[in-house]
Amino acid sequence: DIQMTQSPSSLSASVGDRVTITCRASQTISIYLNWYQQKPGKAPKLLIYAASSLQSGVPSRFSGSGSGTDFTLTISSLQPEDFATYYCQQSFRSPRTFGQGTKVEIK
Amino acid sequence: EVQVLESGGGLVQPGGSLRLSCAASGFTFSSYAMTWVRQAPGKGLECISTITDSGGSTYYADSVKGRFTISRDNSKNTLYLQMNSLRADDTAVYYCAKDSSSGWRNFDYWGQGTLVTVSS
């Protein structure tokens, strides 16, 4: 299975901050990398697919980059509703594995 | 509006069985692969089983292979997960998720989840 490793596991940030989360795959996955946001008690929500494509309806402050094994999710200006846990997922090969998650908390 | 709605969760004893259902609406169900994803309490996400649009091909994670069976009834727009020989480590929220039409094998719609608790 392809292992996905996110860093950091958690971070504290303030409203308006620029936040960056990284995700590394254990082998090359081209751009088959997706990002999801999950709030407590809710299902995950797709934010970014194919490494950098913004899902319809997702605010433009979210962006993704990378290819091969190294990827980044950036929130350009953190908003109150962005405090959540973020997961990367590779969809290059089954099983479609997720990273362990990054919890973004209020500083 | 696309909707997927899971049901069938509950408390079951170790070694027992449970059948989850996922009712879909708002899209052409028979055109999309569907996946069950679970999340143990306080833990991350795990894809445990996928079925192709026609139902002709299935995938299982090693953790559930031989115990769980995924199926679908395209005439009823419903996805199923038959879970047998349940263990304590199967305790989780189980989500059904729809493959997107983008071709990038991501999940664009998720249900709200149904909780399965395996305990004596």
Side-chain angles (χ1 to χ4, degrees), chain A residues 36 38 43 49 91 94-96, chain B residues 35 39 59 104-107 111:
Chain A
Y36 299 86
Q38 187 179 34
Y49 64 95
S91 52
S94 292
R96 287 178 272 185
Chain B
T35 295
Q39 185 171 37
Y59 161 82
W104 293 97
R105 303 182 68 228
N106 50 71
F107 304 130

Side-chain angles (χ1 to χ4, degrees), chain A residues 28-51:
Chain A
T28 185
I29 58 170
S30 182
I31 59 169
Y32 283 83
L33 191 283
N34 313 298
W35 291 98
Y36 299 86
Q37 175 194 67
Q38 187 179 34
K39 297 181 179 180
K42 300 295 186 182
K45 172 189 173 183
L46 178 65
L47 299 177
I48 301 282
Y49 64 95

Side-chain angles (χ1 to χ4, degrees), chain B residues 11-76:
Chain B
L11 175 63
V12 60
Q13 292 188 339
S17 297
L18 212 55
R19 188 197 200 199
L20 306 183
S21 299
C22 171
S25 61
F27 65 100
T28 305
F29 181 70
S30 59
S31 295
Y32 295 93
M34 298 291 293
T35 295
W36 287 99
V37 180
R38 71 181 180 184
Q39 185 171 37
K43 302 297 184 182
L45 300 163
E46 179 188 19
C47 291
I48 58 169
S49 189
T50 295
I51 188 166
T52 55
D53 51 3
S54 66
S57 184
T58 58
Y59 161 82
Y60 298 95
D62 288 343
S63 57
V64 305
K65 196 174 296 182
R67 301 187 299 123
F68 291 11
T69 303
I70 191 171
S71 62
R72 65 191 296 161
D73 185 336
N74 285 344
S75 69
K76 296 182 177 179

